[in-house]
Amino acid sequence: MKRENIVLAIHHHVEDSYSPMWIEYCEKNSIKYKLVNCYDNDIMEQLKEFDALLWHWSHTDYKAQLFARQLIYALEFRDFVVYPNAIGSLYFDDKVGEKYILQSIDAPIVPSYVFYDKKSANDWIENITFPKVFKLRSGAGAHNVKLVQTISEAKRYISKAFGKGFFSTHRGAAIKNRIWHFRRDKSLKSFLNISRGFYRFFIPNPKSVALPIEKNYLYAQDFIPNCDHDIRVFVVGDKAISKKRMVREGDFRASGSGKFIWEIDESQKECVRIAFEVTQKLGMQSIAFDFVMDENGDAKIIEISYAVGLRAFLDGIGYWNRDLSWTESKIVIEDYIIEDLLTTLESQK
């Protein structure tokens, strides 16, 4: 298919979306496109006039959570190109699902455990060492992640997990996170964000309230000690961007800290190699990986996602190629995504 004949459908929304940059790319490069609304009842019929759909859907959008995976699979069922594709969507914001798909290809992951009844969970904690990292299957930015130090603490967590459950968004943790960012940045913007956090604590976002309660399972991972950073790698097509994310002071989590190191080293190179390999095996268009190095210096995957935040690599200094060579460049992840999709379309007859 020739590029000049390609017509793209873009689901456009401004807040925390790749779509504004996709639109800008199409305008600059004379790519034909039209804006669509994936929530329309007749979206399947509308998309018949297009060659592909780009939809950056969010884990915090309860409406998208209801049907995005099913819509994308239905489109792929008729050989329609979608970003993200079905495999990328299926395991998005689902740490439990990620455990199974990564184990299916023998990917190097942090040892992970899941239980679906209270007795099995309680029996397990009687025979393990602490600490362990307890997580909900959903959530980003280190929300819904707890370092459990003792068996009594674990029992309380399990009682709640198999009782009333947990909200998908943790408003108290969100306020603490905003306070941490103010202490780090000491800026007017970060100060105002604290007040917004308190506002949302008492008047929660309707979208957040609509998300389902997380309950009736326990998901946990081994705690890897002495880690002052993790390594984030984002693979898109034949490019990979990486950075070290530093653990925030007095915490064990690097996600959400906002403290990065862009300089590259051999540990990042090994993580990039694994990331390219896993992405190819799974057939995903893009995957964001979080890695830690274990006690033996081996790279282990903590979790994956098809997308990253808009500012995640805004100041990046370059990217890795599939042969692990390095190219210095300004990073525009939205351009990489649409270029990879166009390359896929051009390869079709």
Side-chain angles (χ1 to χ4, degrees), residues 121-322:
N122 277 318
D123 288 346
W124 175 69
I125 65 170
E126 294 286 349
N127 299 288
I128 62 172
T129 57
F130 288 91
K132 285 287 189 285
V133 181
F134 283 19
K135 298 183 176 184
L136 299 183
R137 69 193 306 158
S138 65
H143 291 178
N144 303 333
V145 177
K146 183 177 179 62
L147 186 64
V148 176
Q149 302 278 6
T150 65
I151 190 170
S152 59
E153 188 180 0
K155 285 182 176 180
R156 289 194 297 271
Y157 186 101
I158 289 169
S159 292
K160 187 173 182 179
F162 291 94
K164 64 180 182 180
F166 302 89
F167 289 110
S168 295
T169 55
H170 195 303
R171 284 174 280 160
I175 291 174
K176 289 180 181 178
N177 197 46
R178 290 169 188 261
I179 292 171
W180 185 89
H181 279 96
F182 172 69
R183 288 173 176 167
R184 184 196 66 191
D185 300 337
K186 295 181 174 60
S187 66
L188 176 61
K189 180 180 179 181
S190 60
F191 176 75
L192 293 175
N193 277 338
I194 295 175
S195 62
R196 294 189 188 100
F198 276 107
Y199 174 80
R200 281 304 180 194
F201 184 85
F202 293 105
I203 306 176
N205 189 319
K207 291 183 179 180
S208 300
V209 174
L211 290 168
I213 299 293
E214 296 288 332
K215 60 187 300 185
N216 294 326
Y217 69 91
L218 174 69
Y219 176 68
Q221 289 182 320
D222 281 354
F223 173 65
I224 307 299
N226 305 317
C227 288
D228 66 354
H229 69 277
D230 70 11
I231 296 173
R232 164 62 65 92
V233 179
F234 187 39
V235 174
V236 183
D238 59 359
K239 296 180 177 66
I241 316 103
S242 67
K243 64 182 177 182
K244 288 185 178 180
R245 303 188 302 179
M246 307 310 294
V247 170
R248 59 186 100 186
E249 188 175 346
D251 204 337
F252 71 100
R253 299 166 299 177
S255 180
S257 74
K259 299 169 66 177
F260 313 130
I261 294 177
W262 294 108
E263 286 72 23
I264 60 176
D265 60 24
E266 286 303 311
S267 65
Q268 283 173 280
K269 194 171 184 178
E270 175 62 9
C271 292
V272 169
R273 184 193 66 76
I274 295 169
F276 272 126
E277 183 179 286
V278 170
T279 303
Q280 184 174 15
K281 284 184 177 180
L282 295 182
M284 292 190 190
Q285 298 144 311
S286 64
I287 311 182
F289 296 81
D290 295 342
F291 288 92
V292 290
M293 311 305 288
D294 69 11
E295 299 95 326
N296 299 317
D298 296 325
K300 301 293 184 182
I301 300 169
I302 306 172
E303 56 191 62
I304 61 173
S305 170
Y306 88 82
V308 294
L310 299 183
R311 300 186 60 82
F313 292 99
L314 201 58
D315 301 317
I317 59 175
Y319 59 82
W320 301 88
N321 302 287
R322 193 170 290 276

